Amino acid sequence: MQLFIDSADVAELHAAAASGLIDGVTTNPSLIAKSGRKMKEAIAEICSIIPGPVSAEAVATDVEGMLSEGRYLARIASNVVVKLPLTENGLRACRTLADEGIRVNVTLCFSAVQAMLAAKAGAYFISPFIGRLDDIKVDGVGLIREIRKVYDNYNFRTQVLAASIRTPEHVRDCALAGADCATLPPKIFAALYKHPLTDSGIEAFLKDWKSTGQSIL
Ligand code: G3P
């Protein structure tokens, strides 16, 4: 499973990149606003930190505006993926950008039929927001299973990028459901390393080792 970081904070991204485990980055207008940075500068810097796909989201809602913004964002760096919302206009723009060779991440997906339309429009990634479905008492991970099945039934190549991940259990469940990628807030990525038995196991091993009086080197 590819692991992406959902952040536009370059300090957080440097820290996550040092793990050697991060395959890409996703941003959205809220995350750019939170960073306090100019979008072009922030995306350019993020693209230099992480060589994998970096999603940068258009904010226009009409097709021509999405195309202009999408082409502009795609020129910032070769690893930019243009993020567009799952609307009729978003999918029309997706089709055009995909035909131009620009990768598109279709975002704000909340149903399997929306995901099917995005795949037909040539989306490179589909981003189902599982946490926001859980918020309204709908099974977010269930949507990942449904999309996986639909895509496999018809051999769609669009990658399933699970988003709005809130817990390490979401990551586990999305991996079991066959998501190609998951995008995680940095604190959830950090939590993936953790298990109380790992910590107590290290503590016991070190205590016993100390009692030997040895050193390895
Ligand atoms: O990648 C989309 C993600 O940022 C949304 O997460 O927690 O705001 O639903 P959340």
Side-chain angles (χ1 to χ4, degrees):
M1 183 189 230
Q2 299 168 75
L3 293 180
F4 293 4
I5 296 293
D6 196 32
S7 173
D9 180 317
V10 295
E12 287 179 344
L13 292 170
H14 273 295
S19 71
L21 301 175
I22 300 306
D23 301 292
V25 176
T26 53
T27 68
N28 61 40
S30 304
L31 292 170
I32 295 287
K34 192 172 159 201
S35 77
R37 305 274 309 273
K38 291 273 187 206
M39 183 168 186
K40 186 179 180 186
E41 290 167 18
I43 295 296
E45 188 171 350
I46 292 167
C47 286
S48 72
I49 298 168
I50 306 271
V54 172
S55 291
E57 188 159 344
V59 293
T61 54
D62 62 304
V63 177
E64 280 311 314
M66 287 176 178
L67 291 174
S68 302
E69 290 181 0
R71 291 173 184 134
Y72 176 85
L73 293 169
R75 281 196 298 271
I76 295 176
S78 59
N79 51 331
V80 166
V81 174
V82 174
K83 211 170 175 190
L84 296 175
L86 209 155
T87 59
E88 183 176 349
N89 285 345
L91 295 191
R92 285 175 55 190
C94 176
R95 176 80 273 162
T96 300
L97 293 179
D99 289 346
E100 293 174 10
I102 293 173
R103 293 180 295 177
V104 177
N105 175 359
V106 174
T107 188
L108 290 165
C109 172
F110 294 96
S111 79
V113 287
Q114 285 185 315
M116 183 174 68
L117 296 183
K120 288 175 72 71
Y124 188 81
F125 294 117
I126 183 70
S127 290
F129 275 29
I130 68 170
R132 292 192 194 185
L133 279 174
D134 289 355
D135 288 344
I136 59 161
K137 312 284 178 234
V138 175
D139 178 11
V141 174
L143 174 60
I144 302 293
R145 276 189 223 101
E146 289 178 6
I147 296 172
R148 180 76 279 150
K149 178 76 176 145
V150 170
Y151 282 9
D152 289 349
N153 281 350
Y154 297 98
N155 205 22
F156 286 125
R157 309 307 297 261
T158 303
Q159 296 186 49
V160 181
L161 198 178
S164 186
I165 299 268
R166 306 277 175 75
T167 63
E169 292 72 28
H170 269 157
V171 181
R172 173 199 64 200
D173 293 344
C174 287
L176 289 169
D180 298 287
C181 338
T183 188
L184 320 180
K187 70 170 192 260
I188 302 299
F189 173 64
L192 298 186
Y193 290 95
K194 298 291 183 187
H195 193 285
L197 293 179
T198 304
D199 295 339
S200 59
I202 290 171
E203 200 178 325
F205 286 155
L206 292 182
K207 184 164 170 257
D208 291 344
W209 177 252
K210 200 169 174 193
S211 73
T212 71
Q214 299 180 51
S215 69
I216 291 179
L217 299 178

